[in-house]
Amino acid sequence: MSAEPSAPTEPLAPAKQLLQTARFGEAISLTQDFLATGPDADDRVQALYLLAVAQRYDNRREQALATLDTLLAENPEYARAHQERGHIFLSLNRSEEAAPAYSRAVELNPALTSSLKSLVNLAQRLGRTEQARAAAAQLDYLKRLPPELVHVLDLMHEHKLHKAEVLCRDYLQQHRHHIEAMRLLAEIGVRMGIYDDAEFLLESCVEFAPDNVQARIDYVNILIRKTRFEQAHQQAQVLLARQPDHPGFKSTLASTLVGLGRFAEGIALFNEVLEDYPQRTDLHIQIGHAQKTVGLPDAAIQSYREAYRRRADYGDAYWSLANIKTYQFTDSELKRIRHHADAPGVALTDRIALCFAGGKALEDRKEYAQAFGCYEQGNALKLRQTGYRVEQLEARVQAQVDTCTEALFSQRQGVGHDCRDPIFIVGLPRAGSTLLEQILASHSQVDGTMELHNILALAQKLRGREAEQHSRYPAILQELDADYFRRFGEQFIAQTRVYRGDAPRFIDKMPNNFLHIGLIRLILPNARVIDARRDPMACCFSCFKQLFGEGQEFTYGLPEVGRYYRAYMRLMEHWDQVLPGFVLRVLHEDVVDDLETQVRRLLDFCGLPFEQACLNFHKTERNVRTPSSEQVRQPIYRSGLEQWRNFEPWLGPLREALGHEALENHRPDPAVRRSRASRHPAPAATQ
């Protein structure tokens, strides 16, 4: 039976016990009564699932399907609900519908043995040989896996990560160096954002079991995720040497080539794979991203269109088109987007991307009410998926304020690596940072790179494995020996060398580094930090409209992004107080109003001589890896400054979350206000 026994303290325990004793009618009544009380989201999911199970066993199959429709409308990625649909369709002899239900179930949770067994039989019966083979291979893997680790796998795909981690660590204490246990623990680490631990575990797996292909694949993937492309490239070559014709290994190698900036080689290798596997829609997307980065938007558009031609509901294809920013959807494309966004059975990730793409298409048509509805729907789905809580960010800001005081920097005077190479651009996404990067990267002495993860990784390493409220970082900055800061600075310079060219200076454009300016000052005291800032309503709503590839979970709700902006402003004001002159604030509106003045301010602050190319930034040929890539290849324009006002009737929650202070103090820096009034550059900051 699908429902398992539960502890008596659980609210649904009585219903589960009734199911176990085959008292299905009573279980149905009890579960319906429980649902009528308005339980929280997690209990509602469990109650709807138990209700569907009870209805199936009580031969109320159509009612069970209706219950599952409700459940999947609210939680489309609940794997056991798809499994239950498969059971019902199978009992009704509707094999053609049962097979995709089971397939979706094991796609979401590959530990569901019941679904795998049914899928093997159904796929063989329906002549789907490859599907049957894949399901049988997964079943065989689960049979070879210790039962404790099967449970870990199940918990992990049910998003019960902490329980999965505890169980997996317990198993490893008894079975040291068990490769699959280490690999699963690494995957849990990736899902929890603990990338350093995951990398260490997978590096160990590769060392202990060099012939374990899956462990090496996972190792390459974590290196790519951490933008460690040079190491990832080496590992991808090892994989391809084992199986030179393996399409997955070829595409992985292509990804590392693109990451290393070897775009022509990467695109060529992607295309080589596509010649034999044209149905790989994900490769069309990756090629499109590479083409967009190197300034080939027309080619990128064709790649994205090819992706949705091969899978009509492929949300990422439509969103990638929208993310070109200058792209205008056709009427037929908009019709398809709206159809698939509301169609049953569309995966959550596709539905989210379709909603954001639909918002962009409708906004371009000036249908603002409907566009906002699409943005709102996509954000609500994404926020529920991420489970983001702004309180954690606010606690981190408070910890920085409490720890990183004037006294700390006075006591730590003279520590760190004296290298002057890095220029950090921080702030919020969509605040104009890509424009500032393009201006600076147009200078002969500056290399543009990408949003580097190195400072975030160092902060995570210092934070340790403790829960957020018990984090060692940033308090540990008061305890470390002075020599650590020099070593951390040297490591940053060494690790980022691969992303640079020959210029003496380079840019790290990771916006989230604003949280770690104190750490940056301690390890690289001669670095330059630029705070890219934009009108808070414009910036926050632009974030709200953006579907980010990874991270930036705070953007998927108007109150959430408003509170994030307030916390960001508070911390930037703190850095101004305790590190005067270390950060230069540049307002996007000032750059648009008077480009030359702001360019000279930037260059003076960075200790760089003026070069005309910085004013002609749109003519600079370089790779740009952000959503603004096409926009910064055009001259300055004012049209984007007030676009948010088209949506002003619906932005009350954002305005309220920002509060009066954030809205009124957009330009708190007296030097910037004087600059704006006099049109003379502010003096360079001094150390």
Side-chain angles (χ1 to χ4, degrees):
M1 190 172 295
S2 300
E4 297 179 357
S6 172
T9 55
E10 293 184 10
L12 291 166
K16 293 181 179 182
Q17 290 167 358
L18 289 170
L19 267 175
Q20 288 184 322
T21 55
R23 295 156 69 183
F24 306 124
E26 294 175 67
I28 290 170
S29 297
L30 190 61
T31 308
Q32 288 173 332
D33 290 343
F34 177 77
L35 285 165
T37 66
D40 65 27
D42 288 340
D43 283 343
R44 178 173 168 79
V45 168
Q46 289 300 312
L48 286 169
Y49 171 65
L50 288 173
L51 177 59
V53 172
Q55 288 169 330
R56 172 167 66 90
Y57 277 105
D58 206 39
N59 292 318
R60 307 184 197 182
R61 296 183 181 88
E62 294 302 328
Q63 291 181 29
L65 287 173
T67 299
L68 291 170
D69 286 343
T70 300
L71 172 53
L72 289 170
E74 298 174 10
N75 297 271
E77 298 200 346
Y78 188 60
R80 279 180 165 77
H82 290 282
Q83 175 175 264
E84 188 60 24
R85 280 172 60 86
H87 292 339
I88 295 169
F89 287 138
L90 196 60
S91 70
L92 293 170
N93 294 317
R94 292 159 62 176
S95 299
E96 290 284 354
E97 293 169 276
Y102 286 129
S103 178
R104 183 62 177 149
V106 298
E107 178 185 343
L108 294 167
N109 186 346
L112 296 178
T113 55
S114 178
S115 286
L116 286 165
K117 290 175 182 177
S118 297
L119 189 58
V120 169
N121 294 329
L122 280 170
Q124 289 174 341
R125 191 190 314 164
L126 295 169
R128 301 171 183 173
T129 307
E130 182 58 30
Q131 188 177 47
R133 186 203 61 77
Q138 179 64 15
L139 260 180
D140 183 60
Y141 167 72
L142 293 178
K143 289 176 183 176
R144 289 183 280 107
L145 206 61
E148 297 93 334
L149 296 185
V150 174
H151 191 198
V152 168
L153 189 65
D154 181 40
L155 288 169
M156 185 171 65
H157 286 91
E158 290 290 311
H159 309 294
K160 299 173 182 176
L161 297 180
H162 290 289
K163 289 183 179 179
E165 181 188 16
V166 170
L167 184 60
C168 198
R169 287 188 180 279
D170 287 346
Y171 186 83
L172 273 170
Q173 285 183 349
Q174 305 299 321
H175 306 82
R176 292 176 60 82
H177 301 161
H178 190 286
I179 297 301
E180 281 306 295
M182 294 171 67
R183 203 176 64 76
L184 287 174
L185 187 59
E187 186 172 349
I188 293 167
V190 169
R191 290 170 181 247
M192 297 175 73
I194 308 171
Y195 298 147
D196 282 351
D197 284 11
E199 181 186 354
F200 174 76
L201 284 163
L202 292 169
E203 185 178 21
S204 300
C205 286
V206 169
E207 182 180 342
F208 297 147
D211 293 331
N212 189 306
V213 173
Q214 189 58 56
R216 195 176 296 273
I217 291 171
D218 292 349
Y219 185 41
V220 174
N221 288 337
I222 188 62
L223 290 170
I224 291 174
R225 186 181 287 266
K226 293 185 67 179
T227 66
R228 304 273 291 275
F229 293 114
E230 192 167 35
Q231 289 174 267
H233 181 67
Q234 294 169 359
Q235 294 297 324
Q237 288 178 310
V238 173
L239 285 170
L240 195 59
R242 293 175 60 97
Q243 299 183 52
D245 296 324
H246 193 290
F249 297 164
K250 282 185 179 180
S251 58
T252 298
L253 184 64
S255 295
T256 67
L257 289 167
V258 169
L260 288 168
R262 295 161 60 178
F263 291 94
E265 296 173 74
I267 291 171
L269 192 53
F270 277 134
N271 279 320
E272 183 180 319
V273 178
L274 279 176
E275 287 180 10
D276 295 324
Y277 300 90
Q279 74 279 10
R280 286 283 304 273
T281 52
D282 60 312
L283 299 189
H284 292 287
I285 295 294
Q286 291 190 63
I287 290 172
H289 291 344
Q291 292 165 330
K292 175 187 170 186
T293 300
V294 298
L296 299 172
D298 292 339
I301 287 168
Q302 292 308 311
S303 294
Y304 297 146
R305 283 177 166 172
E306 186 62 27
Y308 78 59
R309 288 189 190 106
R310 293 184 176 277
R311 180 156 77 81
D313 65 351
Y314 193 9
D316 198 16
Y318 296 100
W319 170 245
S320 296
L321 286 167
N323 212 21
I324 291 178
K325 305 304 181 188
T326 56
Y327 182 76
Q328 301 282 321
F329 284 103
T330 66
D331 291 344
S332 61
E333 285 174 332
L334 176 56
K335 184 177 179 180
R336 286 196 290 272
I337 288 169
R338 302 187 78 171
H339 167 73
H340 293 299
D342 296 324
V346 174
L348 179 61
T349 51
D350 290 314
R351 194 181 303 278
I352 290 169
L354 288 161
C355 287
F356 278 91
K360 166 66 164 59
L362 290 162
E363 181 179 357
D364 288 344
R365 286 165 168 74
K366 297 181 170 55
E367 297 178 29
Y368 300 119
Q370 293 185 60
F372 183 79
C374 286
Y375 289 138
E376 188 174 43
Q377 182 184 357
N379 276 279
L381 292 171
K382 185 67 175 179
L383 184 62
R384 188 168 65 198
Q385 183 187 57
T386 64
Y388 171 78
R389 293 177 63 250
V390 70
E391 291 81 6
Q392 292 183 347
L393 179 277
E394 291 168 339
R396 286 188 178 186
V397 167
Q398 186 61 52
Q400 293 285 339
V401 170
D402 292 341
T403 300
C404 297
T405 61
E406 290 183 63
L408 171 68
F409 295 115
S410 177
Q411 293 163 5
R412 297 292 186 172
Q413 188 74 26
V415 302
H417 181 35
D418 61 3
C419 177
R420 304 179 64 89
D421 295 9
I423 301 170
F424 294 91
I425 302 179
V426 304
L428 262 71
R430 314 297 298 148
S433 58
T434 302
L435 175 58
L436 299 186
E437 179 194 40
Q438 181 77 353
I439 289 169
L440 287 171
S442 300
H443 197 283
S444 62
Q445 297 182 35
V446 182
D447 283 327
T449 59
M450 63 177 73
E451 295 180 358
L452 303 176
H453 288 72
N454 301 72
I455 294 295
L456 302 184
L458 175 56
Q460 179 65 53
K461 180 179 180 180
L462 294 172
R463 188 172 292 119
R465 299 259 323 124
E466 298 297 324
E468 187 75 27
Q469 62 269 30
H470 303 299
S471 171
R472 298 181 305 173
Y473 173 79
I476 196 173
L477 298 178
Q478 298 174 326
E479 305 164 8
L480 290 172
D481 291 339
D483 190 54
Y484 275 100
F485 298 107
R486 176 187 56 78
R487 285 159 49 192
F488 289 150
E490 291 173 348
Q491 287 170 7
F492 176 86
I493 297 301
Q495 290 172 357
T496 55
R497 173 60 61 183
V498 66
Y499 307 112
R500 301 173 56 179
D502 298 325
R505 310 290 292 279
F506 73 99
I507 301 166
D508 178 348
K509 200 182 73 67
M510 172 57 72
N512 308 56
N513 281 340
F514 80 87
L515 275 164
H516 310 295
I517 288 175
L519 175 62
I520 290 171
R521 174 57 179 252
L522 291 170
I523 69 171
L524 295 161
N526 293 319
R528 289 292 185 264
V529 180
I530 297 165
D531 174 22
R533 192 170 294 191
R534 182 181 174 193
D535 175 87
M537 291 294 290
C539 182
C540 291
F541 184 61
S542 187
C543 286
F544 184 76
K545 295 193 300 179
Q546 181 70 33
L547 177 60
F548 292 92
E550 186 175 74
Q552 316 302 3
E553 287 87 356
F554 69 91
T555 63
Y556 301 115
L558 293 177
E560 286 76 13
V561 69
R563 285 177 63 179
Y564 187 97
Y565 192 97
R566 282 174 58 186
Y568 147 74
M569 279 192 64
R570 181 190 176 207
L571 188 54
M572 294 311 301
E573 289 169 6
H574 174 74
W575 298 132
D576 289 344
Q577 292 170 9
V578 300
L579 293 172
F582 189 60
V583 179
L584 178 72
R585 182 160 300 113
V586 180
L587 305 183
H588 181 65
E589 296 82 4
D590 288 346
V591 177
V592 173
D593 284 350
D594 189 346
L595 176 63
E596 183 170 350
T597 293
Q598 298 308 314
V599 167
R600 290 184 181 276
R601 283 184 74 231
L602 280 166
L603 297 179
D604 286 349
F605 178 74
C606 295
L608 295 166
F610 177 78
E611 289 184 1
Q612 185 66 29
C614 296
L615 292 180
N616 300 326
F617 62 87
H618 54 284
K619 298 179 181 179
T620 300
E621 294 185 4
R622 56 178 289 266
N623 303 323
V624 184
R625 300 176 185 251
T626 71
S628 306
S629 58
E630 289 310 303
Q631 293 165 310
V632 299
R633 293 185 174 114
Q634 303 172 23
I636 286 283
Y637 57 92
R638 296 187 53 83
S639 59
L641 294 181
E642 301 294 320
Q643 282 181 340
W644 69 271
R645 293 193 182 278
N646 296 319
F647 296 87
E648 196 164 9
W650 303 281
L651 300 185
L654 173 58
R655 186 178 292 277
E656 182 179 354
L658 284 167
H660 176 79
E661 185 177 356
L663 293 169
E664 293 300 318
N665 294 339
H666 173 45
R667 299 180 177 85
D669 188 330
V672 176
R673 288 202 297 271
R674 287 196 299 272
S675 169
R676 188 175 176 86
S678 65
R679 297 305 180 200
H680 292 300
T686 57
Q687 295 291 332

